[in-house]
Amino acid sequence: RKNKKREQRSLAILRINAAARLNGITYGKLIHGLKLSDVTLDRKSLANIAVNDPDTFKEIVDFAKSSLSWINENLAFIQLN
């Protein structure tokens, strides 16, 4: 049972990573951006969206990218001051 859960999670991560890279971001940056945005979608849901609804997944990726760019801009501003 534990191995099945582990395999399902690994498969979900592979699917998310593949879809994320098609949209110009890595899996790690996507998850980090979503956490910064307080998005609470689990990996199983993200993988399902990535496979069945690529347009919605692209919107999620764009949202995560905007969160990452906002953080990077503010960090650059703080470091300059």
Side-chain angles (χ1 to χ4, degrees), residues 9 16 35 81:
R9 181 178 168 97
I16 296 167
K35 285 188 188 274
N81 292 329

Side-chain angles (χ1 to χ4, degrees), residues 10-70:
S10 295
L11 182 60
I13 291 171
L14 282 173
R15 288 177 174 165
I16 296 167
N17 190 24
R21 287 180 183 269
L22 287 174
N23 287 291
I25 193 170
T26 63
Y27 169 80
K29 288 182 181 178
L30 173 64
I31 296 299
H32 183 63
L34 293 176
K35 285 188 188 274
L36 290 174
S37 307
D38 292 327
V39 175
T40 56
L41 284 171
D42 61 359
R43 284 158 180 80
K44 183 178 178 182
S45 299
L46 272 175
N48 191 14
I49 293 169
V51 170
N52 296 320
D53 195 358
D55 294 332
T56 302
F57 188 77
K58 180 164 179 26
E59 291 180 27
I60 293 170
V61 168
D62 292 340
F63 188 70
K65 283 180 180 179
S66 68
S67 297
L68 289 171
S69 66
W70 185 84

